[in-house]
Amino acid sequence: MPKLFDELTFSDDWMFQKVLQDPEVCTELVERLLHIKVNHVEYPELEKIIAPYYTSKGVRLDVYIKDSDKVIDIEIQSYPMEALGKRIRYYESMLNMDSLMKGQDYVQLKDSYILFICKDDPFMDENENYYGLPCYTFRNICEENSKVNLNDNSLKVIYNSSAYEKETDEKIRAFLHFINTNEPGEDDFSKRLSSLVAKIKENEEFRSDYAAMNLHDQDIIRIAKREGEQQKAVEDAKALLADGKYTPERIAELLNIPVESFAEKITVQGSIC
């Protein structure tokens, strides 16, 4: 069940995207969490969909920004996610496809950054104990000699706000505290984010947009559920037909589905030809 509009916080997808429409806010968040300078930002693309080929699985990114020499995907996760590593791997491949235009050389591929902000710890050991780090940074390294650099210029950073107390960087700790508790405290940036959330909630147009989005999502869920129920009914019909105890017409009547959905041809007596 989607949240009520007035219950939304910065860590909810929809609100996160709206707040980061402000390029200055987006830039400050990136520079604070990734320790890099952003010299130019194309206006953030919210929920950008990248699908290079019609047969490939597209990805819907929360916030996707481009600097002159880098691309950055920023994601907020308010709930545990399965296969996070493989998801990030796929996201990165899509960023690379989107970044390098046809005919360009590989040296022109922009630096790639994927930033996940999670409310819960996404990593645990073989005994299902969480590692409890506030930040997990991943680079490709050489196992035989860590001094060997692949120079692929890609970085994946995953923050775990539930461990904010362990973060040594004061500004990052304050931000993670805000994500985890929704309390901005004395941090100026967190206060600014909280203020923007409050301002958005006063906007009737945004309220209408959120309501329309939820109706659309609920329609999709209902359609998927109906399609799932229909497929289950067809599978049940085929099983009953194979059992031979009922005619196709009787099965169609019992399950309220058309005979053609589970039987190709039917004789006058109702047997399959």
Side-chain angles (χ1 to χ4, degrees), residues 1 9-10 20 24 29-30 37 43 52 73 89 91-92 97 116 128 138 168 187 200 212 219 226 238 251 254-255 257:
M1 189 73 180
T9 67
F10 176 70
L20 291 192
E24 291 184 5
L29 184 144
V30 167
K37 294 300 295 181
Y43 197 77
D73 169 35
R89 172 183 162 191
Y91 280 19
E92 183 178 37
M97 293 288 287
F116 267 72
E128 298 188 352
F138 297 92
T168 57
D187 179 59
I200 288 171
D219 285 342
R226 282 201 302 270
K238 289 179 179 179
I251 294 172
L254 290 170
L255 298 178
I257 59 175

Side-chain angles (χ1 to χ4, degrees), residues 233 240 245-257 262:
L240 287 171
K245 293 182 179 178
Y246 297 95
T247 65
E249 293 89 349
R250 180 56 177 159
I251 294 172
E253 181 183 353
L254 290 170
L255 298 178
N256 193 29
I257 59 175
F262 63 92

Side-chain angles (χ1 to χ4, degrees), residues 34 73 88 91-92 95 112-116 155-157:
L34 292 180
D73 169 35
I88 291 176
Y91 280 19
E92 183 178 37
L95 290 182
S112 167
Y113 295 85
I114 295 182
L115 171 61
F116 267 72
L155 182 71
K156 280 79 71 176
V157 178

Side-chain angles (χ1 to χ4, degrees), residues 103-215:
Q104 288 184 311
D105 193 85
Y106 292 118
V107 296
Q108 295 174 280
L109 191 64
K110 293 185 176 184
D111 295 357
S112 167
Y113 295 85
I114 295 182
L115 171 61
F116 267 72
I117 304 166
C118 303
K119 293 196 73 172
D120 300 300
D121 195 335
F123 298 109
M124 60 175 64
D125 61 23
E126 63 276 6
N127 297 317
E128 298 188 352
N129 296 314
Y130 291 107
Y131 286 103
L133 298 178
C135 181
Y136 300 89
T137 303
F138 297 92
R139 303 177 190 269
N140 292 322
I141 63 171
C142 176
E143 290 188 354
E144 289 77 13
N145 187 339
S146 61
K147 294 181 180 180
V148 178
N149 195 331
L150 187 61
N151 288 320
D152 61 342
N153 292 11
S154 67
L155 182 71
K156 280 79 71 176
V157 178
I158 303 169
Y159 279 99
N160 163 30
S161 72
S162 67
Y164 70 87
E165 293 178 322
K166 298 179 181 178
E167 175 57 52
T168 57
D169 184 300
E170 183 179 349
K171 289 185 176 182
I172 294 178
R173 182 171 64 250
F175 174 77
L176 294 181
H177 173 268
F178 174 57
I179 293 296
N180 192 63
T181 66
N182 197 37
E183 297 175 0
E186 298 303 316
D187 179 59
D188 289 341
F189 184 56
S190 298
K191 285 181 178 179
R192 186 179 178 189
L193 296 175
S194 184
S195 176
L196 286 170
V197 169
K199 186 176 180 179
I200 288 171
K201 287 183 178 180
E202 295 173 355
N203 189 306
E204 289 300 322
E205 183 178 349
F206 285 152
R207 185 182 294 271
S208 298
D209 288 346
Y210 182 71
M213 181 201 69
N214 281 336
L215 287 174

Side-chain angles (χ1 to χ4, degrees), residues 52-53 96-106 108-109:
Y53 306 106
N96 292 335
M97 293 288 287
D98 192 59
S99 172
L100 194 65
M101 301 299 292
K102 185 176 180 180
Q104 288 184 311
D105 193 85
Y106 292 118
Q108 295 174 280
L109 191 64

